[in-house]
Structure formats: C-alpha cells, structure tokens
C-alpha cells in the first residue's frame, strides 16, 4: 500500500493549478494549517464530497494492561475522527457516485 505525501500533493497542485512549486507548497501548508487551527479550537472541518474531520472528547475509563492484567485508569482526552462522505465511499468501492447517494434516500 502506497502513502500519499505532502511532496506529492505539492506536485499535483503544481501540475494541475499551474502555481509555482513554492506557491503550491505555501498553498498546501496554508490549507493544512487552517484545518489544524480549526480542529484545535474544537471546530469540525467538512470538505464537500470528501468527508468531515471532528474532535471528540473521550471520558475517563478503566483499561487493562494486556500483559499483566492490572487495571489502569485511562485519562480523558480528545481524539480526532474522520467520517467519509458517501461520494468518497462510492469512489473507494468503485461504485457510481449516484448509487451511494440513492441508498440514503
């Protein structure tokens, strides 16, 4: 399985939008920075036809060390979650986009 990197995203912006490589890198950093800032404030980030990033609060709970079996408290924390859109799910499953939208109706 291959990983898409920042450098590859910058190259794609450069090739498709026509900005210079430096401008493409600055644009990508600006978008990612804005997303990180919004998530840091507890806001959701929704990208149409892609999905929604959201921060959730997890409460304190008791966990267990799998090696020793000793119970350990797990402190409350925030976690990042991603919910893909129906359009993205359809693309991943190589389905027509319209069929994914029809299922929700």
């Amino acid at each position: 399985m291959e990983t898409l990197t920042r450098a590859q995203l910058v190259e794609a912006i450069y090739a498709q939008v026509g900005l210079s490589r430096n401008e493409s890198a600055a644009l990508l950093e600006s978008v990612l920075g804005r997303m990180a800032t919004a998530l840091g404030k507890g806001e959701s980030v929704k990208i149409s036809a892609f999905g929604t990033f959201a921060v959730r609060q997890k409460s304190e709970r008791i966990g267990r060390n799998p090696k020793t079996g000793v119970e350990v408290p797990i402190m409350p924390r925030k976690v990042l979650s991603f919910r893909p859109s129906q359009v993205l799910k359809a693309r991943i499953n190589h389905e027509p986009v319209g069929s994914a939208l029809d299922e929700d109706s």
Side-chain angles (χ1 to χ4, degrees):
M1 182 178 255
E2 211 174 300
T3 302
L4 182 62
T5 65
R6 280 182 189 227
Q8 290 169 322
L9 288 171
V10 168
E11 268 310 301
I13 293 169
Y14 167 74
Q16 292 181 12
V17 178
L19 297 174
S20 72
R21 283 188 173 88
N22 286 341
E23 291 171 327
S24 298
L27 175 63
L28 179 62
E29 291 304 319
S30 175
V31 170
L32 294 176
R34 176 67 183 107
M35 289 174 64
T37 300
L39 291 166
K41 293 178 183 176
E43 300 172 4
S44 293
V45 176
K46 182 175 183 176
I47 302 174
S48 181
F50 187 73
T52 303
F53 296 90
V55 176
R56 290 188 308 123
Q57 181 69 42
K58 293 188 94 174
S59 57
E60 184 175 358
R61 63 188 175 93
I62 300 296
R64 189 177 304 274
N65 181 328
K67 199 170 193 177
T68 63
V70 175
E71 289 187 351
V72 180
I74 299 173
M75 302 311 290
R77 64 195 186 283
K78 293 179 181 179
V79 295
L80 181 64
S81 64
F82 175 73
R83 184 163 186 229
S85 72
Q86 293 298 318
V87 174
L88 181 58
K89 287 180 186 179
R91 290 183 74 178
I92 289 170
N93 291 310
H94 306 290
E95 297 172 353
V97 173
S99 69
L101 298 176
D102 294 340
E103 291 174 9
D104 290 341
S105 305

